[in-house]
Amino acid sequence: MPPERRTTRLAALTTALAVGGGLALAGAAPAQAAAFDDPTEIAYVGADDIRADESTYVGWHNGATGGSFVDGDYGLELTGKVQILNGFDEAADNGDLRELISTGITWGSDNAYFQIPLFFDTAAGEPQFTTLRPATTAAQSVALGDQWTTSRSVSDTIPANTTDTLESLLTAIEGSSEAADDVDLLGYGLFVDAGETGTAYYVQWDSLSTQFVPAPVEEPLGEAPFVDSEQLAEVIADNNFTVVEGGSFTQGAAGHLVVDGDVSFGLRFFDAFAYSTPVPVGVFKADSFGDVTVTLSPEALAALAPGQHTLVLASQGQNEGGLYFVTFTVVAAATPGGSSTVTGAALAETGFDGTLPLLGGALLLAAGAVLVLRRRAGASA
């Protein structure tokens, strides 16, 4: 990376540690954004991925007029009146709302309402439309006992704009017809009223996590985030970060180091460097759970002296807020005569111990890896 990129990354790190009592997150989304559950799929949705109108309903589109939506630093910036919806195919089985609620529906947003549009049948068998939303923008999850509002009349006793428990509203909707399949989910999304502004960070709907930033794009391997092991040691020691042992690798043979990551970094790309003197390892992509498999090539291991070293993974793009620190040991290759062949410069050991500050209890500490910086991909409400 150019020098200014490394400077920006280190500046973001310094700022994040100075603000929020050691909160290990550069430019974090607001604290009310709930933790992700493990998804089976991650979708990145930026402004260019959202259609301007609902001439095609299926997929992400804007269901209102007069507002706007643009990519922000950590999410989608909404200016009302705007209604960002992920429309379902009406012909498909879109699930049962009560079952989905029991599984968990969560989101992260500022000053935006979460919405669930649906059709239901009246007693006469005629389709009726309404949209359900929490009574407050502060809500970040769906629970049957919470106060919700219906945009259209559900019955004679529940006119438009009635606020009641979600359980009461659903019971009335379900009781409108005797048909077993009288409620059809049309999608979900976010709403900001005219004259208001809000931000959408993420939505977790069943096993799909939608993060409102453009999809990560792989960049060439940049410069190392720390100039040397001394600077790396200072950052870790000053902030009491824990670095966990990741295993041993023998010179002359390739190895694989699996870094157990966090779902909020799913599908992101990471620059990998080995310290003391930073040795470039490569660029690697996290899977949908945020886990990263790093290949330590024979060439990379040959450039490291036998002993303990530290692998640093630094996330590319999206404000470069993510860092993982993992220690590993390099073992000299044995010669036919039984002795070891030592290659690589004589490097100082870079193993550390300390206490990782937890981010709302949501940072994941797993065997062989620790997440010390994370960005919460934000989303909507």
Side-chain angles (χ1 to χ4, degrees):
M1 77 179 67
E4 61 270 18
R5 179 176 159 194
R6 184 177 66 191
T7 301
T8 300
R9 178 179 294 179
L10 290 176
L13 170 62
T14 303
T15 300
L17 297 176
V19 178
L23 187 64
L25 171 59
Q32 71 267 25
F36 289 91
D37 294 322
D38 285 345
T40 57
E41 183 182 358
I42 291 178
Y44 287 92
V45 175
D48 290 342
D49 302 309
I50 301 173
R51 295 185 297 277
D53 57 48
E54 58 181 15
S55 54
T56 299
Y57 190 83
V58 177
W60 285 100
H61 64 276
N62 184 14
T65 59
S68 64
F69 49 91
V70 297
D71 293 323
D73 288 339
Y74 308 109
L76 199 66
E77 303 295 340
L78 309 173
T79 300
K81 187 176 186 177
V82 63
Q83 183 175 246
I84 306 302
L85 293 173
N86 184 21
F88 293 155
D89 182 351
E90 290 185 49
D93 181 4
N94 298 314
D96 177 82
L97 183 54
R98 288 182 180 272
E99 292 180 358
L100 290 165
I101 291 173
S102 66
T103 300
I105 300 172
T106 62
W107 61 92
S109 68
D110 280 333
N111 199 36
Y113 289 99
F114 187 69
Q115 285 195 327
I116 303 176
L118 53 84
F119 277 130
F120 63 97
D121 293 340
T122 65
E126 299 176 350
Q128 174 70 40
F129 171 79
T130 191
T131 297
L132 302 177
R133 71 173 187 270
T136 171
T137 59
Q140 302 287 288
S141 61
V142 181
L144 292 174
D146 291 345
Q147 294 288 304
W148 278 54
T149 302
T150 177
S151 64
R152 302 282 186 89
S153 173
V154 172
S155 67
D156 292 340
T157 58
I158 303 181
N161 300 314
T162 294
T163 297
D164 203 337
T165 65
L166 181 56
E167 173 65 54
S168 296
L169 297 177
L170 285 180
T171 298
I173 289 171
E174 294 162 344
S176 298
S177 170
E178 296 181 358
D181 58 351
D182 64 325
V183 179
D184 296 318
L185 298 179
L186 301 180
Y188 58 88
L190 322 157
F191 172 74
V192 172
D193 210 346
E196 299 291 331
T197 60
T199 305
Y201 300 111
Y202 75 90
V203 171
Q204 176 97 23
W205 179 274
D206 197 19
S207 59
L208 173 62
S209 172
T210 299
Q211 304 185 31
F212 291 98
V213 289
V217 177
E218 182 176 2
E219 302 173 2
L221 181 69
E223 291 189 8
F226 306 101
V227 295
D228 52 29
S229 59
E230 181 177 355
Q231 184 185 43
L232 172 62
E234 289 176 356
V235 170
I236 293 175
D238 289 348
N239 297 283
N240 293 320
F241 293 142
T242 299
V243 184
V244 179
E245 173 59 40
S248 297
F249 303 89
T250 302
Q251 290 180 331
H256 299 282
L257 194 158
V258 179
V259 179
D260 294 334
D262 185 272
V263 67
S264 64
F265 282 119
L267 308 185
R268 294 271 292 274
F269 293 92
F270 288 82
D271 291 341
F273 293 89
Y275 286 78
S276 296
T277 300
V279 172
V281 177
V283 177
F284 302 91
K285 187 178 183 179
D287 64 18
S288 60
F289 294 98
D291 299 342
V292 185
T293 299
V294 176
T295 299
L296 296 170
S297 67
E299 293 76 17
L301 291 172
L304 298 170
Q308 190 179 60
H309 302 274
T310 299
L311 177 77
V312 176
L313 288 179
S315 66
Q316 294 184 345
Q318 295 181 21
N319 302 291
E320 301 175 336
L323 287 172
Y324 293 84
F325 301 139
V326 185
T327 60
F328 66 97
T329 301
V330 175
V331 179
T335 64
S339 61
S340 297
T341 301
V342 177
T343 61
L347 304 179
E349 291 188 355
T350 56
F352 305 95
D353 193 11
T355 302
L356 176 67
L358 298 180
L359 177 55
L363 297 184
L364 302 182
L365 177 62
V370 62
L371 171 62
V372 298
L373 290 182
R374 67 173 289 185
R375 171 189 178 278
R376 186 177 305 285
S380 108

